[in-house]
């Protein structure tokens, strides 16, 4: 068997993992972000100034925000269920250290801090959890696309062949979800108020980089005979094309239907698509081709997975538009966001109930078809992921109330002190734009050039696979390669951010 066919077999015919293991893995990123914030607050408490060294900031961010994720999906995957507990215990220890080191004569009583916390006003124009969500989807995807080619990456985490819930199956839908959260219709851009079809024309122009990247990936993969998983999207289709066409189709739908009713469109699309799958030969066509023998003759047969899964991804996109609109409503206090967290948690619970019903009576989760169960699964887990980031941010806001003057990059900014007595007013976090701090943060660096980061990760993944026999790599070598690969990608984003360079020209 050639190296190409060997690698294709290595990532094919897999069945995914459990919903619980996916959830355990998702909780790590928000906990890492919380741990990084607590360490920065502890540093400020100890030295009386924020960490200003760019070199040490990058090192801290990489070791705390990225490295644990690399380890958790390789050598630490057997204990992934214990990882959240370990990191949470570390965070609890750091918080305890912070609380014990605050000076007794200036420490606000804990009950008063809780009251101040509930009445704290937050910057309504900046929701750091959205940034963290989108960046971490990108980071986790970048880790997985290379790690999956090493034997240290559990096969159950890779994309399932037909049915199943692999970690990488979620990544595809999460990308769609994250893009919709910040689409122009959600951000209320000024040109959205212009004639509807004028806005649609702008969207046609804005997706040309994705089309260009999709064509570039297709030509490079075919010319180099690079290994590919054909049943993922088809022979010619790829994820860049899916992103572009979903965005265009969503823009068209949002010009026809009121955006506040996008959840109705999402449900209608997902349910109607599932009904067609169950009542027509469409499901058999997607799985086995028009002749029932997996033929790839003709454009539709060759790319049936990529083309027909667009309906499911479009439903996910429309659902995310509704979520984005809800999040951007005026919630400018801790109390309001606490209520929002409770509502999101209830929504997630309801979605998991519907997921159980859908898998029992309709179809199991299938990324290959992007069926109803897959849509519900993606939206439920994305909401869970996002809610965890919101909780982590609120915990950091609470901790900053204990330490006067401390700051954490990519964390909520307190824009108005709470209505407390002058005795405790000095303990409020000073008014500053923490979403735009002068010192550099890896999260904001990647956020500034997300498409470039993803493209660079794809290029580096291809380069490593061409130069290295990944399948037969030893553990130490695999970990070294994965850390170097991620550090290089992060370093490039860090340098661009330091020079205030945004490589976007469309």
């Amino acid at each position: 068997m050639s190296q190409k066919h060997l690698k294709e077999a290595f990532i094919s015919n897999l069945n995914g993992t459990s919903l619980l293991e996916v959830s355990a893995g998702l909780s790590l990123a928000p906990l890492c972000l919380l741990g990084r914030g607590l360490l920065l607050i502890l540093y400020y408490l100890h030295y009386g100034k924020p960490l200003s060294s760019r070199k040490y900031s990058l090192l801290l961010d990489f070791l705390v925000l990225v490295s644990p994720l690399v380890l958790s999906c390789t050598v630490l995957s057997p204990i992934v269920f214990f990882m959240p507990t370990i990191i949470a215990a570390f965070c609890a220890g750091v918080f305890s250290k912070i609380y014990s080191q605050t000076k007794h004569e200036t420490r606000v009583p804990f009950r008063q801090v809780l009251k101040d916390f509930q009445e704290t006003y937050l910057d309504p124009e900046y929701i750091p959890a959205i940034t963290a969500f989108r960046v971490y989807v990108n980071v986790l995807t970048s880790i997985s696309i290379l790690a999956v080619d090493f034997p240290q990456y559990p096969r159950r985490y890779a994309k399932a062949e037909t049915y199943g819930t692999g970690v990488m199956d979620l990544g595809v839908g999460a990308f769609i979800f994250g893009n919709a959260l910040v689409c122009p219709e959600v951000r209320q851009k000024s040109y959205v108020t212009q004639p509807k079809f004028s806005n649609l024309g702008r969207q046609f122009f804005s997706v040309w980089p994705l089309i260009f990247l999709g064509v570039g990936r297709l030509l490079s993969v075919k010319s180099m005979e690079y290994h590919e998983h054909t049943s993922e999207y088809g022979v010619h289709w790829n994820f860049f094309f899916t992103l572009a066409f979903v965005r265009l189709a969503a823009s068209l739908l949002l010009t026809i239907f009121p955006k506040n009713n996008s959840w109705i469109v999402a449900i209608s699309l997902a349910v109607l698509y599932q009904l067609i799958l169950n009542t027509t030969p469409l499901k058999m066509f997607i799985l086995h081709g028009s002749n029932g023998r997996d033929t790839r003759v003709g454009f539709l047969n060759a790319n049936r997975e990529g083309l027909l899964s667009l309906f499911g991804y479009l439903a996910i996109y429309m659902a995310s538009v509704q979520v984005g609109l809800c999040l951007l409503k005026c919630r400018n206090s801790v109390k309001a966001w606490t209520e929002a967290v409770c509502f999101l948690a209830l929504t997630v619970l309801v979605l998991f109930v519907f997921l159980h019903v859908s898998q029992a009576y309709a179809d199991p989760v299938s990324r290959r078809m992007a069926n109803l169960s897959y849509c519900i699964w993606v939206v439920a887990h994305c909401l869970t992921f996002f809610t965890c980031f919101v909780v982590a941010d609120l915990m950091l806001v609470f901790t900053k109330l204990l330490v006067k003057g401390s700051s954490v990059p990519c964390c909520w900014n307190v824009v108005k002190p709470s209505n407390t007595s002058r005795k405790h007013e000095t303990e409020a976090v000073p008014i500053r734009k923490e979403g735009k701090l002068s010192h550099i943060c890896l999260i904001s660096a990647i956020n500034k050039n997300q498409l470039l980061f993803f493209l660079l990760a794809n290029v580096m993944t291809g380069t490593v696979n061409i130069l290295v026999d990944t399948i037969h790599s030893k553990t130490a070598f695999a970990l070294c390669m994965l850390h170097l690969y991620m550090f290089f990608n992060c370093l490039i984003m860090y340098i661009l951010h330091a020079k205030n360079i945004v490589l976007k020209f469309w």
Side-chain angles (χ1 to χ4, degrees), residues 411-446:
C411 178
W412 252 311
N413 175 38
V414 176
V415 294
K416 182 180 178 182
S418 56
N419 296 323
T420 57
S421 63
R422 298 188 66 85
K423 177 181 178 181
H424 302 302
E425 212 168 56
T426 55
E427 291 302 312
V429 181
I431 298 173
R432 66 168 70 182
K433 291 290 182 183
E434 289 183 332
K436 304 172 183 176
L437 289 175
S438 57
H439 60 274
I440 298 177
C441 164
L442 185 58
I443 299 294
S444 55
I446 296 174

Side-chain angles (χ1 to χ4, degrees), residues 173-360:
F175 242 105
I176 299 287
F177 189 94
N179 280 358
L181 280 179
V182 295
C183 71
E185 291 83 3
V186 169
R187 288 179 292 164
Q188 314 284 346
K189 282 213 167 183
S190 58
Y191 64 74
V192 177
T193 60
Q194 296 176 2
K196 291 183 176 181
F197 288 97
S198 172
N199 173 42
L200 187 60
R202 288 176 179 268
Q203 292 301 309
F204 268 101
F205 177 75
S206 68
V207 300
W208 75 261
L210 294 172
I211 301 293
F212 178 78
L213 292 173
V215 172
R217 189 185 190 285
L218 172 64
L219 294 177
S220 60
V221 166
K222 299 300 180 184
S223 62
M224 294 187 297
E225 294 190 351
Y226 189 77
H227 68 277
E228 54 184 329
H229 193 186
T230 304
S231 65
E232 185 178 349
Y233 295 107
V235 178
H236 311 104
W237 203 262
N238 58 57
F239 187 52
F240 291 111
F241 291 141
T242 294
L243 284 175
F245 280 90
V246 165
R247 185 168 172 181
L248 287 177
S251 297
L252 179 60
L253 288 176
L254 290 169
T255 61
I256 300 172
F257 301 100
K259 60 184 179 181
N260 289 324
N261 293 332
S262 57
W263 67 276
I264 299 175
V265 179
I267 294 173
S268 301
L269 270 171
V271 172
L272 180 61
Y273 178 51
Q274 185 63 54
L275 285 173
I276 294 173
L277 285 174
N278 284 358
T279 59
T280 70
L282 185 62
K283 183 192 297 186
M284 296 304 295
F285 172 72
I286 295 175
L287 299 180
H288 305 294
S290 58
N291 67 350
R293 299 178 182 177
D294 201 28
T295 179
R296 294 289 174 178
V297 177
F299 182 78
L300 186 57
N301 266 307
N303 303 287
R304 55 185 185 268
E305 293 91 350
L307 292 169
L308 293 170
S309 64
L310 288 174
F311 294 103
Y313 289 126
L314 183 57
I316 294 171
Y317 191 100
M318 296 301 289
S320 181
V321 168
Q322 188 70 60
V323 172
L325 291 171
C326 292
L327 293 176
L328 291 183
K329 287 181 180 178
C330 188
R331 287 195 179 98
N332 60 350
S333 70
V334 167
K335 185 177 181 180
W337 272 104
T338 304
E339 294 171 355
V341 166
C342 295
F343 177 76
L344 287 171
L346 180 61
T347 304
V348 168
L349 181 62
V350 171
L351 285 172
F352 275 114
V353 171
F354 280 131
L355 176 59
H356 177 74
V357 173
S358 178
Q359 292 206 99

Side-chain angles (χ1 to χ4, degrees), residues 45-153:
L45 182 63
H46 189 73
Y47 293 101
K49 61 179 181 179
L51 181 62
S52 57
S53 169
R54 292 183 173 180
K55 178 174 63 176
Y56 290 123
S57 292
L58 173 61
L59 187 61
L60 174 68
D61 282 359
F62 184 80
L63 290 178
V64 179
L65 301 180
V66 179
S67 187
L69 304 180
V70 175
L71 296 173
S72 67
C73 67
T74 51
V75 293
L76 296 182
S77 58
I79 60 167
V80 71
F81 286 105
F82 299 101
M83 290 289 290
T85 304
I86 294 170
I87 300 177
F90 170 79
C91 292
V94 176
F95 175 81
S96 176
K97 186 83 170 174
I98 291 170
Y99 188 72
S100 64
Q101 285 192 5
T102 54
K103 295 179 180 178
H104 289 279
E105 60 270 19
T106 60
R107 183 192 294 171
V108 178
F110 194 77
R111 187 172 297 177
Q112 181 64 44
V113 174
L114 283 175
K115 183 180 178 182
D116 291 353
F117 176 63
Q118 284 293 318
E119 297 173 353
T120 298
Y121 284 83
L122 306 170
D123 184 356
E125 297 180 2
Y126 178 67
I127 303 175
I130 293 179
T131 300
F133 174 91
R134 299 182 72 242
V135 167
Y136 262 110
V137 167
N138 214 329
V139 168
L140 289 167
T141 302
S142 299
I143 293 171
S144 295
I145 59 175
L146 178 59
V148 71
D149 294 313
F150 288 93
Q152 289 75 22
Y153 188 86

